[in-house]
Amino acid sequence: MNAVDGMPEDRLLAVAAGRDVNAEVHDTVIQEPPVLEIDRFNLWYGAKQALHRITMPIPLNKVTALVGPSGCGKSTLLRSVNRLNDLVQSVRITGDMRLNGDSIYDPRMDVIELRKRMGMVFQKPNPFPMSIYENVVYSLRIDGENNRGVLDEVCERSLRGSALWDEVKDRLHESALGMSGGQQQRLCIARAIAAEPEVLLLDEPCSALDPIATGKIEDLIQELRGQYSVLMVTHNMQQASRSSDYTAFMYLGRLIEYGATTDIFTKPMLRETEAYVTGRFG
Amino acid sequence: MNSERPGRRVRSGHATLTAYGEPWIWLTGASLVTAIAMIVGLLAVIVARGATTFWPVPLEQVRVADGRGVLGEVAEREPAVAETTGSSGHGARRLIRTGDFDATGNHYEWIDDDAIVETLRPEWATVVERSEGGRLHGVPKRLLHGEEVVAEGAADVWTAFIAQHPAIRRRERQAQRIDKHDRGELQRRLRAARLEVVEASLAHGRDSRQVEEAEARERSLAHDIGDKERALDAATARLRDENAGWAIEVETGSGAIVAVPLASVVRGWQPNRLSLAGSIGLYLSRWGEFLSDDPREANSAGGVFPAIWGTVVMTLIMALFVAPFGVLAALYLREYAGSGPVTTAVRIAINNLAGVPSIVYGAFGLGFFCYVLGAGIDDVFFKASLLADGQPTFGTGGLLWASLTLALLTLPVVIVATEEALSAVPNSMREGSYACGAGKWQTIRRIVLPRALPGIMTGLILAMARGAGEVAPLMLVGVKKVALDLPFDGTFPFIHPEREFMHLAYLIYDVGFQSPNSQAARPMVYTITFLLVAIIALLNVAAIWLRSRLRRRFVSQQF
């Protein structure tokens, strides 16, 4: 892309020309026990291929960040994990993903049961038009759980988990729509962890927030580390380097390099990755 | 821009005008002002005319050059019209409501200003509102009880009238209530017994034991009811005997003496003597009668209570039908139906349905609801009634069918509004719900519908406003000129959706354009219009209040 300052981006040029390249996946990743395995996953929107043979394990109880320029397929990959892309017409896939060994794209897999095993947080906070309390216990409600004691306990645990309890404990039954944007996003995280998900998917959780709210969410991700397996899409290199254990660099639908965050940011195997994470390209 | 170029480039005036778009501001603003002026003007006329109908107007005794006299309210004044080819002109003239029909055969009379010799405001000029025969204007002369003269002279007669009239009027109303309600109840019971006989013969054959038993029951009931009717006869006769003979004699503007039985006097007032408080009291009392009483004299006087009731109940039943159907249809169209030519065609068809003339819906309602559905119901459940006296129950126009017809008419409005409300629900909310493991229906019920509710309410408000003001289809499916039996009353099963009903919008048409005395009914038309507009506004305000509450609950202020 940027051959002018003497930095020939061989791989990226090859990708841009439509050729397949092999991903550099560090050994440190492969040695970790995986919670989610993405296996030769391809995805097309109509005739356009958005993901090319992505193969990557997501380590258990670690935070994994997906980085890459806009349109490289990070969000598509994330939304493929809980099969939200099923809602988009004209999407076609090959390959598979496995959540703790269970095939996600198995025709016998019940999508609703599958999504109950994951939590997801979106770019823009999307609290539901109901009270804070009902927002948090939503996934239990739709499962038919109406026991007040169980709900109260889950609500408190989730709100404490998302560092929101002290701020909202006195107004649990007020509308969630009256909260600030940062609070709403932490509420969405509380909602996502209420059902004890096996994987937590964060799709640029801070992109609609101001720096202070962003800081709180990042602190929260630090606290979730070790308890939950987190797969996070981010545009923000500092955020990826601060919050994640592992980082995957994607470009035009391909996985380019994947390894421990410290390695990716300090001694990547590929010059292309270095160029991207240092901001010289992208 | 370029410093080497001498001088500065200045924009011309024309460029500024177009660029800033001033003319467009004027054009758009003028359009809005015109629209507002028309709407406000219309409402102002309705309110001004409708609200003043019941305010007492002074009576003028006018003597004309040829010796005639009239006593009445000035209803209209016309300036002089010059003579032109084809039409004869006239001088300035006034239209006077004479209230002298008994003597002159006219309710109104044009009087040329030039011909007026003198104009007086007699202190004791009285308006006598009669239950039949319209108003009478005149000066009280004598109060009679049979042959006996109870009082003589305007002041004494009026005092005596005020003393006697309320009790007499009360007795008269009681007698009317017995005639209408108690007798009607007996007739209904008798008819029910007769229907049982027919039902028994339908079920068990003409000569069966059950028929004989039913006939025996009917005979004993008829006997019973005969006794009761005689008792009612005696009661009404007693009441009317007490009233008989009481009459007030007044001298009308033309000098005729007219005696009016007190029992038929609804109220009397002397506008030239009324104080402000008296005027207000009279005004309110006439409004009270208008809102709570049955109509009299071919709907041109009295109240419009049955029509208010009919309008409100019909609109509410309509909303009850159209809301679920419209919302469910829109849900399927927006949430479940795929996008393709068929969906597009359906959507276009629904939009076009909103443009079908309402009389077409009326014809459909009559043909399908009344003659197919209603006749079918009659055949199955009300066969006896059909055979006994040939009277259809559901097989003719009625409140239920009218509500259904209007529900059909307003369905497109609700569907379109609901679809728009559903598509305005952010997709991120749906995805959030799916990501929590909710199914499609759970998402719709718990997230999409609550969030779309305010928008759906908007559609319902529009539908109610349209439905409440519709007349043409109602004329075919159940609105009647006079239908005093309300669809809800004390007789089992209390709700009678098959009954015909009265409607304010139809009343406007009927009173304004079908009345034998249309000049006198004209103020009533304005009042009824005023009332109808007020009721629709009230229904809308209620719905809007509900919507704003829902909006506070379900729609974020932040995004």
Side-chain angles (χ1 to χ4, degrees):
Chain A
M1 298 249 90
N2 198 347
V4 184
D5 29 19
M7 179 71 76
E9 317 287 2
D10 304 342
R11 257 174 221 251
L12 302 187
L13 284 174
V15 165
R19 270 172 282 139
D20 277 336
V21 294
N22 285 327
E24 292 293 343
V25 180
H26 299 196
D27 288 342
T28 46
V29 181
I30 294 165
Q31 285 155 7
E32 288 273 359
V35 61
L36 178 72
E37 291 162 278
I38 301 169
D39 186 10
R40 283 162 293 173
F41 192 79
N42 293 290
L43 182 141
W44 290 264
Y45 289 118
K48 186 176 171 293
Q49 189 166 6
L51 294 175
H52 297 259
R53 265 182 90 86
I54 307 280
T55 298
M56 59 189 284
I58 309 298
L60 181 67
N61 291 343
K62 301 281 187 224
V63 177
T64 306
L66 291 173
V67 301
S70 295
C72 71
K74 314 179 294 280
S75 288
T76 301
L77 183 64
L78 198 73
R79 292 163 60 90
S80 299
V81 175
N82 65 355
R83 289 182 59 177
L84 268 189
N85 280 332
D86 288 14
L87 302 172
V88 183
Q89 279 176 357
S90 82
V91 159
R92 198 161 51 83
I93 64 117
T94 63
D96 199 3
M97 300 184 183
R98 282 181 300 279
L99 178 64
N100 284 325
D102 300 328
S103 166
I104 288 174
Y105 282 91
D106 188 324
R108 283 163 301 174
M109 171 59 87
D110 183 346
V111 181
I112 288 177
E113 291 307 314
L114 172 78
R115 289 188 190 137
K116 283 177 183 162
R117 295 167 62 180
M118 309 181 186
M120 183 158 182
V121 177
F122 295 79
Q123 273 188 32
K124 231 170 83 173
N126 57 350
F128 299 145
M130 43 181 85
S131 70
I132 296 172
Y133 182 92
E134 288 298 328
N135 258 283
V136 177
V137 300
Y138 183 76
S139 50
L140 281 80
R141 284 278 194 209
I142 55 176
D143 264 352
E145 176 66 68
N146 282 320
N147 184 328
R148 199 81 202 171
V150 175
L151 294 178
D152 284 347
E153 191 200 316
V154 169
C155 179
E156 181 171 349
R157 176 172 51 74
S158 308
L159 284 174
R160 281 190 194 284
S162 67
L164 198 57
W165 176 253
D166 292 327
E167 288 168 58
V168 300
K169 66 181 173 203
D170 298 323
R171 52 182 180 123
L172 287 178
H173 296 282
E174 283 172 33
S175 170
L177 303 173
M179 308 166 85
S180 73
Q183 286 177 324
Q184 288 187 350
Q185 194 63 307
R186 278 179 286 150
L187 178 70
C188 292
I189 294 177
R191 188 172 74 198
I193 61 178
E196 297 285 340
E198 294 168 39
V199 182
L200 194 56
L201 308 170
L202 309 180
D203 188 359
E204 295 184 43
C206 303
S207 62
L209 302 181
D210 62 66
I212 294 174
T214 301
K216 286 190 179 170
I217 301 278
E218 283 182 12
D219 292 345
L220 178 57
I221 294 171
Q222 292 298 324
E223 283 172 36
L224 295 177
R225 169 187 246 163
Q227 286 175 59
Y228 295 97
S229 312
V230 179
L231 182 58
M232 172 173 78
V233 168
T234 180
H235 254 121
N236 184 327
M237 287 309 117
Q238 285 82 30
Q239 193 173 69
S241 66
R242 279 194 301 262
S243 314
S244 66
D245 302 304
Y246 293 94
T247 298
F249 170 47
M250 289 178 70
Y251 183 68
L252 288 185
R254 278 99 170 161
L255 180 63
I256 304 294
E257 185 168 357
Y258 182 22
T261 298
T262 44
D263 295 343
I264 293 287
F265 279 88
T266 55
K267 44 179 173 117
M269 287 180 170
L270 301 174
R271 285 171 307 168
E272 295 87 333
T273 307
E274 188 184 4
Y276 183 75
V277 299
T278 53
R280 265 180 286 163
F281 132 82
Chain B
M1 247 181 183
N2 197 329
S3 54
E4 286 165 1
R5 215 178 266 172
R8 243 172 56 203
R9 196 168 145 254
V10 178
R11 284 181 166 181
S12 74
H14 282 99
T16 311
L17 205 60
T18 325
Y20 287 111
E22 300 266 321
W24 303 118
I25 299 179
W26 301 332
L27 188 69
T28 51
S31 304
L32 182 68
V33 166
T34 314
I36 290 178
M38 286 197 289
I39 293 168
V40 168
L42 174 73
L43 287 178
V45 167
I46 291 172
V47 171
R49 297 272 199 135
T52 52
T53 303
F54 297 137
W55 189 259
V57 177
L59 291 180
E60 286 182 1
Q61 171 74 51
V62 174
R63 209 150 55 76
V64 193
D66 62 7
R68 276 184 314 129
V70 294
L71 174 63
E73 302 173 351
V74 178
E76 233 177 285
R77 284 175 201 274
E78 247 182 34
V81 174
E83 199 164 323
T84 57
T85 45
S87 79
S88 57
H90 56 74
R93 56 181 195 168
R94 58 189 72 168
L95 181 65
I96 295 186
R97 181 175 193 176
T98 57
D100 200 5
F101 186 77
D102 304 62
T104 63
N106 287 326
H107 290 287
Y108 283 81
E109 212 168 313
W110 281 107
I111 305 278
D112 284 331
D113 284 3
D114 296 340
I116 294 175
V117 178
E118 66 170 338
T119 307
L120 297 169
R121 284 200 178 175
E123 188 191 358
W124 292 98
T126 307
V127 179
V128 180
E129 204 180 319
R130 298 178 289 184
S131 57
E132 271 164 41
R135 281 185 182 187
L136 190 68
H137 295 167
V139 178
K141 286 288 164 201
R142 297 194 297 173
L143 193 76
L144 303 170
H145 184 208
E147 298 296 308
E148 180 195 351
V149 177
V150 177
E152 216 168 346
D156 288 349
V157 169
W158 192 245
T159 319
F161 172 83
I162 288 176
Q164 296 298 335
H165 178 251
I168 290 171
R169 185 71 195 150
R170 201 156 47 238
R171 284 196 288 271
E172 175 61 23
R173 287 187 76 105
Q174 199 181 340
Q176 279 173 5
R177 198 158 44 240
I178 290 172
D179 280 344
K180 184 189 156 200
H181 183 258
D182 297 6
R183 264 182 231 279
E185 179 64 31
L186 292 182
Q187 289 306 319
R188 266 194 286 275
R189 277 168 57 191
L190 202 59
R191 181 161 185 268
R194 211 161 48 238
L195 290 187
E196 267 179 40
V197 176
V198 180
E199 265 164 23
S201 78
L202 275 177
H204 306 285
R206 201 173 290 274
D207 304 317
S208 64
R209 187 173 47 78
Q210 282 89 342
V211 172
E212 277 172 30
E213 281 173 14
E215 276 174 344
R217 273 202 302 277
E218 190 201 347
R219 270 195 302 277
S220 84
L221 187 73
H223 185 75
D224 220 31
I225 282 178
D227 288 347
K228 284 192 176 135
E229 274 195 324
R230 275 186 290 281
L232 291 182
D233 286 345
T236 52
R238 202 165 51 243
L239 290 166
R240 292 204 161 112
D241 276 350
E242 267 188 85
N243 284 354
W246 285 102
I248 185 168
E249 256 183 22
V250 299
E251 185 185 356
T252 65
S254 61
I257 303 283
V258 179
V260 186
L262 278 194
S264 73
V265 174
V266 176
R267 65 161 67 76
W269 70 90
Q270 286 152 336
N272 298 348
R273 286 181 69 230
L274 277 176
S275 62
L276 181 65
S279 291
I280 292 174
L282 181 69
Y283 180 74
L284 293 179
S285 131
R286 292 179 76 191
W287 262 110
E289 185 199 4
F290 180 71
L291 292 178
S292 66
D293 237 345
D294 287 346
R296 289 183 276 117
E297 305 217 51
N299 295 344
S300 65
V304 294
F305 179 70
I308 297 175
W309 183 256
T311 307
V312 172
V313 170
M314 187 208 66
T315 308
L316 292 181
I317 295 181
M318 176 202 80
L320 225 58
F321 278 115
V322 75
F325 274 112
V327 170
L328 289 177
L331 263 183
Y332 185 84
L333 211 53
R334 173 59 56 183
E335 302 287 330
Y336 291 106
S339 58
V342 179
T343 315
T344 313
V346 169
R347 208 164 270 150
I348 291 172
I350 288 171
N351 277 315
N352 284 341
L353 269 185
V356 172
S358 56
I359 191 79
V360 175
Y361 285 98
F364 173 80
L366 182 69
F368 179 70
F369 291 133
C370 303
Y371 293 162
V372 175
L373 224 56
I377 293 174
D378 276 0
D379 246 10
V380 178
F381 297 104
F382 299 98
K383 200 163 185 113
S385 155
L386 207 57
L387 290 176
D389 44 19
Q391 240 183 57
T393 310
F394 277 97
T396 178
L399 182 66
L400 178 68
W401 301 143
S403 303
L404 276 176
T405 304
L406 283 192
L408 206 62
L409 175 90
T410 50
L411 197 60
V413 180
V414 175
I415 291 182
V416 169
T418 305
E419 257 213 279
E420 251 156 47
L422 291 176
S423 60
V425 175
N427 235 349
S428 66
M429 274 193 190
R430 288 172 224 252
E431 287 187 343
S433 173
Y434 291 137
C436 285
K440 182 141 194 160
W441 175 243
Q442 284 173 319
T443 302
I444 289 173
R445 199 178 72 72
R446 288 171 184 266
I447 310 288
V448 178
L449 270 186
R451 169 67 202 230
L453 218 46
I456 296 173
M457 288 291 297
T458 306
L460 209 55
I461 290 168
L462 289 174
M464 274 166 50
R466 165 125 202 242
E470 198 62 68
V471 189
L474 296 180
M475 288 161 73
L476 300 182
V477 291
V479 160
K480 279 285 162 302
K481 184 183 167 74
V482 179
L484 301 183
D485 283 338
L486 299 182
F488 297 84
D489 64 18
T491 50
F492 186 79
F494 309 117
I495 299 169
H496 307 277
E498 80 284 0
R499 281 193 189 162
E500 290 168 334
F501 63 105
M502 293 178 77
H503 190 277
L504 285 171
Y506 179 73
L507 211 56
I508 293 172
Y509 166 73
D510 179 57
V511 173
F513 306 99
Q514 307 287 301
S515 170
N517 183 8
S518 61
Q519 185 72 258
R522 209 162 68 174
M524 278 292 271
V525 175
Y526 281 112
T527 317
I528 297 168
T529 310
F530 175 53
L531 186 65
L532 179 60
V533 171
I535 286 178
I536 294 174
L538 210 68
L539 285 174
N540 279 0
V541 165
I544 288 168
W545 173 80
L546 192 66
R547 181 179 64 183
S548 73
R549 284 201 49 175
L550 291 172
R551 196 171 276 162
R552 269 206 300 280
R553 253 185 80 189
F554 292 125
V555 183
S556 161
Q557 285 90 36
Q558 285 210 321
F559 292 100

